[in-house]
Structures are given as structure tokens and as C-alpha cells.
Amino acid sequence: MPLSKRKPKDDEQSVASDSKQPIKNVPALMGEGEKFFRDQLYDKAIQCYTEALELSEGNINALVERSACYLKIGKNDLALTDAEESLKENKEFTKGLYQKAEALYAMGEFELALVFYHRGKKLRGDVREFQLGINKAQEAIDNCVGDPTTVKLEIKGDLSYFDRPDEDKKKNKKKMNVGYQKPFSQKQQVVQKREKRPLKPGKQKTIKQLLGELYADKVYLENLLQDDHATRANTKSGDAIWNLANSGLDFLDSRTEFWRQQKPIYARKKSRQTNASSKTPLAYVLNQLEIIDNLQNNGKHSESLDKSNKLMIYVNKLSDTQLTDRKAIVSNIYSNIGNAYLEMGKYELALKNHQKDLDISNEIDNKEGISRAYENLGRVYARNGKFNSAIEVWEKKLPLAESDMEKAWLHHEIGRCHLELGSYKVAEDFGQKSFEYSEKISDDVWKLNATILIAQSQAKIGDEENLTKAIENFDKAYEMTEKQNDSKAMKAVKKVQDECKEKLKKLQIGLNESKNDEKNEVIEKKDEKEENKQEDKVDDKNDKDVNDENAQQEDKSDENEIQQNKNTPRVAEKKEGLGKNQEKGDSTNRSKNSSSSKDSSKNETILYKVEIRTANDLSSGTDAQVFMDMYGENGELVDIELKDPINDEKLFERDTLNKFELNLKSIGKIKKLAFITSGTGTVASWKLNSVKLYDNENLYFFTVNRWIDTKTEIEPDNEPVSRSELSEFTVTVVTSNKLGAGTDSNVFINIFGEKGETGKLALFKRDGGGKLFEKGCTDVFTLESKNIGVVKKINLSHDGQGIGAGWHVEKVEVASNGVTKKFPIDRWLDEDEADGKTEIDLEPDVKPN
């Protein structure tokens, strides 16, 4: 009989038990811990991070976050222990250094805290928290021991003592007794008199409040000193107890004085409520900057923007004498405002404020500010899809990067931009440099990022050698994700690696076929040559016989012979090279014309508009020529080469939309399309995502999402939509601000109304461009489909493609015909979270379960 499981006690319940499905992976536990931390539920947050550490022993991020929680509840020793544990493997782990400094500061070890703040600032000069820590630690030291600039030495009193000769000392020296002495003849030692411990100034009530639980220890030690029996003089035990008690009281008195100067943690809340005028301007500004940083770290970007604007008004009212380094502080505030706008998706405003930060930093020659501004400008450009501009400013930051961590990050981001621009070899080189710097600091996370970048670049190059290397690097990346116990990343890396293997297999099959074709062609030519030789021998024999027969007619005149040769018919020569027909021969021998038709009759021509979306998968783009065939009710059009798009997008690059206008013969209602590539170029394969085709009357939708290696036929998703019935939909999607909420997958929406449905529409390119579905971002799309009347519900889904496929959606809004419908969601669409669904039906104003 199996044993029944013991029901855990209340204090043993996992935090994950609040939900229907238990959280079993590290990223989910980290996300829950972050949420509890924001809600100030520090005990629950600690429990989450502890469970994460049980799954991933030594996880440095979990240790740092748990250390921060311990600080919030006053367990400074545990906070310090976790911070030091996070630094065991990597002494330059900046988050661990910062957390250790914070723990030491909270414990009153200001000098040590100052050391670690300075160490962190040297590694990451762009991290503002280190400078703030330096300022507050220095201020605390000054409060405790006083500012050395305010101490003056004066000559007062009788100093003649220091000029006396050593004679007085000699007089006081006793002569050494020599010779025999009776036992115990020396005088008994006089019992030393102990001075009474002076009382420290201050009310006992205040001291009790400052010391808290330690006040009871202070009372005990004071009473112990009054016990003459326990502290008997000139006894080993008594002297030891006396010294220990005094040492303890000295320590408690120093702590009391420290907290009187510095204010304890519980008193800080009250100090925040005091009027700004009661503080020095610098102290107030530094405090506000710290609050703004905390708001941004917790995802409260709108609130941080509001506080930054108010702080800017306050600072601008101060003079340079009232606030030292005023310009540096102003540039810092501009940086905060720019970061808030960036996270809110307002890129132009973000650029404007970061540019102001750069201008002021250049004016005052602030290297730290210049480096910070370049970093932030690059982030805005990259997020907005302007990769060339991002590369330009980040390359200016490279000489300013001080730590290996910063260099690893910077080379990786520049490499990512080159990858997006199609400079795959350059991207690979930057990935290699990023990996080298990551190895120097033994940072597993950045080693993984660099390895994936290298593998993606090699896969994009796409030849046999680079695909083999890519598969090897994806294998290394998989091993790294295994060590980090990141199941999501493991799954994503494995998926991309399998795609590379499949692509390599197809490429090798194609190469083998090509070699076989060449071999067959050589054999055919050899056989044909032998056949021609045999024919030549027969012809020579026949010529000889003819010559023998005509030998008797040699006496005829030249004129008759020429006339006879003119009247003789000439044998047609045999044509060569017509026997070969490859599977891809259709594509390689296709017409270079924009269009052709099997029907040679002259019919009316119309303007066809074609919009072709290349997929966003790894190596989806192609350098080969692309041809399209169209099949309609009244005929067909074949060998249409798609070139010269009317928009500025590169031709058939990954995740691009190419638009074409074609003047062709009308073939009536479209039944199907077919696509094929020429099979030539560096990257011949092509993954087609979707097609939209307009004729004079209708709009046709084709969802493909397939690799085009051979001739591929596709049919419309639904019946065509009459262009006169087309309606415009504005879809707004808000991705949640949770840890790991963003997705790289392809997202689709199907809108249902009183007159029907739009069919599945892909949300590919948002208004204004830039990356899609990032954490905490809002994406707006303009879609075109048939008029379905009043919107009744929607279906939202994604295909689970890419690294980080899971997606947490906050809400969706759909506007059509002047009416906006709101769909609250606030849930995961993820195979590894909750119910595992990646598709959901939603009704207006109804939050799903």
C-alpha cells in the first residue's frame, strides 16, 4: 500500500501554491520573486529566490535578489552572506559588488562599503548607483568622525611638559634589589582602583529607540559592572569580565552615536516625509535620483518620468553655488527622462533627451556622462530598428568602455545590429570578441549570448562549412543552458539547431545531385563523342564509294560540277545538349522578363499589386532570384520574376515586406500561386511567410510559412475580399512588464464581427517600425480586411518560434469604424506556463480565467 503524502505545514507551503499550476522553473520563480519584491512582500520574495536556488545552485542573480530582500527586512548579515556568495566565482560581478556594499553600509561598515562602491564604479562607471553609494558612504563617515577640513589645531595651555628632560623619569625609577630576600618580604600589591564608567549624554528613551533589541544587552552589561563579586579586581576571571563588559558597552555607545548621526532604517521613512527645505540641496537631489532609479527598475516608467520632470524644475531654480556639479546633475536627469520615454515606446522624445545628456557631458568634459549617453542613444536606435545609427554611436562608446563586462555587452550588441543588416561575417567577428571578453570575466550569461550570436551569423551565411560550424556552436550553447538550468532556452536552442541540421541536409542533397548531374553530363558528352566518331567512319566509307563511282566522270567540266553541287540538298546538323532536365531546371532556365503567358492572345492588361513577407526565422532570406506563377479562371501567367520592389526594403531579406506592381494580362479570379527560386546565390533557400495580392476587384490573402526549395503552390486562405468592402483595423497590443514577458514569435489575430471574420492576420510590422512585443512595450498595427461590422471577439495566438517564445500579454485593443473594443488578458501564452496554451479567444471587457 503506497504511503500517503504528508500535508505540508503553512510555513512550508511553496509560494507557487497560490496558483493552480506550481512554478517549477527558475525564470518563473525569479519573476514571482520580482513581483513580490515590488509589492513589498519580502518574505514571499525570499521564499521564491530560495526555491530558485534549490533548482539552480549558486545562481548569482537569485543570490543578489535575495540579498536585497534580506536588507529590506533588516537581516543585514544574511544579506552580506548572499552577496559574498555571488562573488565567489567572479570577483567582478558588479551586481554582487553593489549588493555587498549596500549590506556593509547597512551594517555601519562605511569604510568597507566605500571600498566596494569604488570597486564597482571602476568596473561600470556608467552605473549611477555606485556614485550615489560613494556619496552616501562618504557623508556617513563625515557624520561619524567629522569633516577633517573643519578641524583646527591650536596652541593652548602649558606645553612645557613636552620639553622637560628625562631626569624626572630617572628619579622615578626604583633601584633593583640585589641579594637574598626573605620570602614574602615584598609589600603586597595594592588593589587597583577602577574608575567609574561615565554616563553618555542623551535620554534613555532615545537610546532605547536607537538600539532597539540591543538596549537590553546594554542594561545587562551596565548591571554586570556594578557586581563587585563578578568583576573582582586583580583576578583573572574578574579582569576578563570587566574588560569584556566595557568593550561591549563601548561598541554599543559607538553604535548609538552612529545611529544618532545617520538615522536608522526605520527612521528613514520619516525623513523622506520632511520638507525638502530641511535638507541640503545636494542631499535632496541625490535622494530623488535614487527614488527615480528605483521606480525605473520596478517598471514604473510614467511615475519616474513625472518625478524627473519635477526634479529638473527644482534643480534649474538653484544656482551653481547652491548646487555643485549642477550641469552634471542636469545631464543625469535628462538621461533618466530619456530612459523613461524609451521604455514607453516614445523614441523621438527619448533621442532628444539623450542627445541633451550627450551635449552637456561634452561641454563639461564628463567622460562618464559621454559614455552613458552613447550607450543610451544606441539602445534607442536599436530598439527602433535603426541599426546603422546604433552601430555608429556604440562604436564611439567602445574606446570609453572600461570593464571587460561592458566590452562584452557592447561587442555583442554591435554584432546583433550587423546581423540584422545582413553583414553576417562582421556579426560573427563581433560575436567572437564578445565571447573573448566574457571568458575573461567568466560570465556564463554573456558567453551564452556571444555563442548564439556566432552560431546565428554562421547559419545565416548558409554554406556547408558555416552551417556545420553553426551546429557545433548551437551544441555548445545548449550545454551552457543545461548548466544554467534554463529549460526555455534549452528548448529554443535545440529547435534552431534542428533547423540548421535540416538545412544542411538539404544543401548536401542538392550538392550531391549537382555532382551527379555534372558526372552524367560528362558521360553523355563522352558517349556522344564516340557516336559521332562512328558516324564519321560511316560517312568516310560512303564518300569513298561515291568517289569510286564518280571517278569516271572526272573529265566533266568545272561548270557542270559546280552546278551539280548547288543542286545537292545539305544534311541538317545534329543539335547538342537538349537531353538534360533537372528538377530545378524550371527555375534556372526561366525567362528574365517580368512576365510571360502561355496564352499568346492579346487580352486586357491590369495592375496587380503583390505584397510578399519573408519569414523572421533564422536564415529565412535569400540572395537567389524569385519567380512567381499565377493561375486564374481565365488562364495563367508564368515565369514572373519578382524584382524592383516599389518600397525601399531590401529584396527578400529576413522579416522584410516587399511590394511589387505588375502590369499583366487579366486572368480572372485567382485560384492559386506558385513560387520557386533560381537556386543560385550565397543563400539559395527562402522561407516565405505570407502574400497579399490585389487585382482590380479583390484582395487575396495567402498564409504560407514554408521553405521554398522547389516549386511550391499555395492557395488563398479564404474567399477574396472585395476591395469596395475593405475596412481598416487598428490593433494595439500591450506586452506585460513582467520578467521574460516579451516574445520573438510570430503573432496572429483573427477578428470576429457580426458580419463574419477577418481570418488569421499576421501582426508583422508595427506603425513606426522597431522590435515587436518587447517587455513593457506597446505595439500598434494597421490592418486591412473585409468589413465585419461590430467586433464581437478576437482570437490571439503565436507560433512558438524563436528564442524566448513565451509571451505575457497585458491587453489588446481593436479599433474599427470609429469604435474601440478593449480585451483585458494579463496572462501567459506559453507552452511552459499555466495551461500551456499559445492561443486564446477573448471577448470585450472580459478577463479570461
Side-chain angles (χ1 to χ4, degrees):
M1 179 178 177
L3 294 172
S4 59
K5 292 184 179 178
R6 176 180 67 87
K7 184 178 180 180
K9 298 176 182 178
D10 291 340
D11 59 352
E12 293 177 332
Q13 292 284 340
S14 168
V15 179
S17 63
D18 293 342
S19 59
K20 293 180 180 179
Q21 295 289 334
I23 298 169
K24 294 182 180 178
N25 58 66
V26 175
L29 286 167
M30 295 290 288
E32 282 296 304
E34 183 182 356
K35 179 180 182 298
F36 286 133
F37 185 88
R38 287 200 304 268
D39 296 340
Q40 298 182 8
L41 300 172
Y42 302 119
D43 289 329
K44 287 190 175 183
I46 288 170
Q47 196 169 349
C48 279
Y49 294 131
T50 302
E51 290 182 20
L53 284 165
E54 289 172 359
L55 293 174
S56 175
E57 187 177 355
N59 187 308
I60 55 176
N61 291 313
L63 286 167
V64 165
E65 298 300 335
R66 190 171 70 174
S67 174
C69 294
Y70 280 136
L71 272 184
K72 290 293 185 182
I73 61 176
K75 295 184 178 180
N76 302 331
D77 53 342
L78 293 176
L80 180 61
T81 301
D82 275 355
E84 289 178 335
E85 185 69 23
S86 73
L87 291 166
K88 270 190 176 180
E89 298 295 330
N90 179 13
K91 300 297 183 185
E92 294 186 353
F93 178 46
T94 50
K95 288 183 179 179
L97 286 171
Y98 178 74
Q99 204 54 47
K100 183 173 181 178
E102 288 284 280
L104 289 167
Y105 178 85
M107 296 171 75
E109 301 289 347
F110 303 122
E111 293 85 354
L112 279 174
L114 187 62
V115 168
F116 285 97
Y117 283 130
H118 273 295
R119 191 173 295 176
K121 186 175 186 297
K122 184 179 179 182
L123 291 170
R124 287 296 302 272
D126 56 315
V127 178
R128 193 178 305 109
E129 285 81 357
F130 288 119
Q131 184 59 54
L132 293 172
I134 291 168
N135 294 341
K136 70 181 182 182
Q138 190 62 59
E139 187 178 2
I141 293 169
D142 293 342
N143 286 340
C144 290
V145 302
D147 188 347
T149 60
T150 62
V151 179
K152 294 183 180 179
L153 297 176
E154 298 179 355
I155 303 175
K156 289 183 179 180
D158 183 11
L159 305 179
S160 61
Y161 170 81
F162 297 101
D163 297 325
R164 290 177 187 171
D166 293 335
E167 292 178 1
D168 293 340
K169 295 180 181 179
K170 293 178 181 178
K171 289 178 182 178
N172 293 331
K173 285 185 178 180
K174 295 182 179 180
K175 294 182 179 181
M176 184 180 295
N177 293 321
V178 294
Y180 173 79
Q181 290 183 334
K182 292 181 181 180
F184 309 109
S185 63
Q186 293 181 344
K187 293 182 179 179
Q188 294 293 322
Q189 187 177 7
V190 180
V191 176
Q192 66 178 34
K193 293 182 180 179
R194 293 170 175 159
E195 294 182 3
K196 191 175 181 180
R197 186 178 180 83
L199 292 173
K200 292 291 180 182
K203 294 181 180 180
Q204 291 300 310
K205 183 179 179 181
T206 304
I207 295 172
K208 185 176 182 179
Q209 186 182 21
L210 290 169
L211 285 177
E213 295 177 357
L214 294 176
Y215 182 73
D217 298 327
K218 176 179 171 65
V219 173
Y220 172 78
L221 292 173
E222 286 175 342
N223 291 334
L224 185 62
L225 287 179
Q226 302 300 321
D227 189 341
D228 294 334
H229 178 74
T231 59
R232 286 196 309 270
N234 297 324
T235 63
K236 188 174 182 180
S237 61
D239 290 341
I241 293 172
W242 172 272
N243 291 331
L244 287 171
N246 273 291
S247 176
L249 286 169
D250 288 340
F251 171 78
L252 292 173
D253 287 342
S254 69
R255 294 304 90 190
T256 304
E257 184 61 26
F258 155 65
W259 288 122
R260 195 194 307 277
Q261 295 289 331
Q262 179 61 23
K263 297 179 184 177
I265 292 174
Y266 67 81
R268 291 178 192 172
K269 292 182 181 176
K270 294 180 181 178
S271 71
R272 291 192 187 105
Q273 297 169 1
T274 58
N275 204 333
S277 60
S278 65
K279 299 180 179 181
T280 63
L282 178 60
Y284 173 73
V285 169
L286 292 176
N287 177 259
Q288 290 299 303
L289 285 172
E290 191 171 0
I291 292 171
I292 290 166
D293 280 343
N294 288 334
L295 288 171
Q296 290 191 349
N297 290 336
N298 292 327
K300 299 178 180 178
H301 307 299
S302 179
E303 195 175 338
S304 75
L305 177 63
D306 183 53
K307 278 197 173 293
S308 297
N309 285 324
K310 288 178 180 177
L311 183 60
M312 181 69 82
I313 294 169
Y314 172 78
V315 169
N316 284 331
K317 289 179 181 179
L318 300 174
S319 65
D320 290 340
T321 54
Q322 289 176 302
L323 185 65
T324 55
D325 294 330
R326 192 173 73 85
K327 286 188 176 180
I329 290 171
V330 169
S331 70
N332 209 324
I333 298 172
Y334 276 127
S335 177
N336 282 327
I337 294 172
N339 286 334
Y341 278 131
L342 172 62
E343 297 303 328
M344 295 165 70
K346 298 179 179 179
Y347 300 122
E348 291 302 322
L349 290 171
L351 282 173
K352 183 179 177 181
N353 283 279
H354 286 310
Q355 187 61 49
K356 287 181 180 179
D357 177 23
L358 179 62
D359 293 341
I360 295 172
S361 297
N362 277 319
E363 181 186 342
I364 61 177
D365 195 27
N366 180 3
K367 301 297 183 189
E368 180 184 333
I370 294 169
S371 178
R372 175 188 64 225
Y374 280 144
E375 177 181 331
N376 289 328
L377 284 168
R379 287 172 55 225
V380 178
Y381 284 129
R383 188 83 68 86
N384 201 19
K386 298 179 179 178
F387 301 113
N388 280 318
S389 300
I391 291 169
E392 184 180 348
V393 294
W394 274 335
E395 285 183 342
K396 290 179 182 177
K397 178 180 167 62
L398 268 176
L400 302 174
E402 296 180 352
S403 68
D404 289 334
M405 170 70 79
E406 194 174 5
K407 291 173 184 176
W409 169 82
L410 202 51
H411 280 90
H412 177 271
E413 294 304 301
I414 295 174
R416 289 291 310 171
C417 290
H418 280 296
L419 184 68
E420 295 291 342
L421 291 170
S423 304
Y424 308 127
K425 184 59 182 169
V426 180
E428 182 187 359
D429 293 340
F430 272 96
Q432 293 285 4
K433 289 177 183 176
S434 176
F435 186 83
E436 289 169 10
Y437 286 116
S438 302
E439 271 201 320
K440 285 183 181 180
I441 54 176
S442 300
D443 191 296
D444 292 336
V445 174
W446 281 108
K447 280 200 284 188
L448 172 61
N449 292 336
T451 303
I452 289 176
L453 173 59
I454 294 166
Q456 287 177 323
S457 304
Q458 291 166 339
K460 192 66 177 174
I461 293 172
D463 57 25
E464 186 176 7
E465 180 185 354
N466 278 286
L467 279 172
T468 304
K469 289 180 180 178
I471 292 167
E472 290 174 358
N473 280 308
F474 277 128
D475 199 44
K476 292 177 184 176
Y478 185 81
E479 290 176 3
M480 293 179 191
T481 56
E482 268 189 323
K483 288 180 181 177
Q484 297 176 25
N485 289 324
D486 193 339
S487 58
K488 259 189 189 178
M490 287 166 62
K491 185 177 177 182
V493 170
K494 189 71 171 66
K495 189 172 185 179
V496 180
Q497 187 186 37
D498 289 342
E499 289 177 4
C500 286
K501 288 179 179 177
E502 185 64 26
K503 190 172 180 183
L504 178 61
K505 184 179 177 182
K506 289 180 180 179
L507 183 64
Q508 288 172 338
I509 291 171
L511 290 172
N512 290 333
E513 288 179 354
S514 178
K515 287 178 181 178
N516 290 335
D517 289 341
E518 289 176 3
K519 187 176 179 181
N520 291 334
E521 188 174 351
V522 170
I523 293 171
E524 286 177 7
K525 285 183 178 179
K526 187 177 179 181
D527 292 343
E528 189 175 348
K529 191 174 181 181
E530 290 295 327
E531 186 180 342
N532 289 336
K533 283 181 179 179
Q534 294 296 329
E535 289 179 357
D536 288 341
K537 288 180 181 180
V538 172
D539 290 341
D540 290 341
K541 185 178 180 182
N542 291 337
D543 289 341
K544 186 178 179 182
D545 293 340
V546 170
N547 289 333
D548 290 340
E549 290 177 5
N550 294 331
Q552 297 176 358
Q553 300 178 9
E554 286 180 358
D555 54 345
K556 291 187 177 180
S557 64
D558 292 339
E559 185 179 345
N560 290 337
E561 186 177 353
I562 292 170
Q563 186 64 36
Q564 181 181 354
N565 288 338
K566 280 185 180 181
N567 294 332
T568 302
R570 190 173 181 178
V571 179
E573 295 180 0
K574 184 174 182 179
K575 292 186 179 179
E576 297 181 358
L578 296 178
K580 183 180 174 183
N581 183 21
Q582 304 172 351
E583 183 182 1
K584 284 193 177 181
D586 280 348
S587 61
T588 54
N589 294 322
R590 283 183 174 249
S591 168
K592 298 282 183 176
N593 298 326
S594 294
S595 69
S596 65
S597 173
K598 292 181 179 179
D599 186 355
S600 60
S601 61
K602 293 182 179 179
N603 291 332
E604 177 189 0
T605 60
I606 65 171
L607 179 66
Y608 289 95
K609 294 182 179 181
V610 185
E611 296 181 6
I612 294 180
R613 166 74 62 181
T614 299
N616 193 27
D617 292 3
L618 187 69
S619 305
S620 297
T622 184
D623 299 330
Q625 294 170 287
V626 175
F627 297 90
M628 178 179 72
D629 296 343
M630 298 169 58
Y631 301 89
E633 290 181 339
N634 302 327
E636 58 189 55
L637 300 166
V638 299
D639 299 345
I640 305 168
E641 184 181 358
L642 297 172
K643 59 181 181 178
D644 302 326
I646 61 172
N647 59 341
D648 295 331
E649 294 283 353
K650 286 188 177 181
L651 202 59
F652 307 122
E653 283 293 304
R654 174 183 174 184
D655 192 31
T656 57
L657 179 69
N658 297 122
K659 298 181 179 181
F660 303 89
E661 291 186 351
L662 308 169
N663 282 298
L664 301 171
K665 183 190 73 171
S666 174
I667 57 174
K669 183 179 178 181
I670 302 298
K671 292 182 176 180
K672 64 180 179 179
L673 302 177
F675 288 89
I676 193 169
T677 68
S678 63
T680 59
T682 307
V683 184
S685 295
W686 176 47
K687 190 169 186 181
L688 174 60
N689 191 287
S690 62
V691 180
K692 283 170 67 175
L693 187 145
Y694 300 80
D695 61 16
N696 281 353
E697 299 177 355
N698 298 316
L699 167 61
Y700 303 83
F701 294 96
F702 302 82
T703 301
V704 189
N705 205 29
R706 291 161 63 183
W707 287 97
I708 310 298
D709 290 315
T710 59
K711 185 173 181 179
T712 304
E713 295 183 350
I714 58 173
E715 295 182 355
D717 296 342
N718 305 294
E719 284 297 309
V721 180
S722 173
R723 295 183 69 171
S724 61
E725 296 178 2
L726 282 177
S727 182
E728 191 174 90
F729 297 85
T730 301
V731 178
T732 304
V733 181
V734 180
T735 300
S736 303
N737 198 30
K738 293 179 177 289
L739 183 69
T743 184
D744 296 328
S745 297
N746 297 313
V747 176
F748 303 90
I749 190 170
N750 190 0
I751 307 171
F752 298 83
E754 56 188 359
K755 297 180 182 178
E757 62 182 275
T758 61
K760 187 179 280 190
L761 305 174
L763 302 179
F764 287 125
K765 207 78 171 178
R766 71 176 181 186
D767 301 348
K771 279 193 171 183
L772 300 176
F773 312 118
E774 292 288 294
K775 171 188 170 185
C777 287
T778 300
D779 300 304
V780 181
F781 306 86
T782 302
L783 307 176
E784 204 175 32
S785 186
K786 67 180 181 181
N787 190 345
I788 58 171
V790 179
V791 175
K792 296 294 185 182
K793 72 170 185 175
I794 64 172
N795 175 273
L796 189 70
S797 63
H798 68 80
D799 60 7
Q801 299 291 317
I803 295 176
W807 185 32
H808 197 286
V809 200
E810 184 177 322
K811 64 179 179 179
V812 173
E813 294 181 3
V814 178
S816 177
N817 300 321
V819 179
T820 300
K821 297 286 187 178
K822 297 181 179 180
F823 301 86
I825 306 176
D826 191 26
R827 62 155 286 164
W828 285 99
L829 295 180
D830 188 351
E831 292 177 353
D832 299 323
E833 298 286 350
D835 56 9
K837 291 182 180 179
T838 58
E839 180 175 355
I840 188 170
D841 290 324
L842 301 163
E843 295 181 0
D845 302 316
V846 178
K847 188 175 179 179
N849 295 326

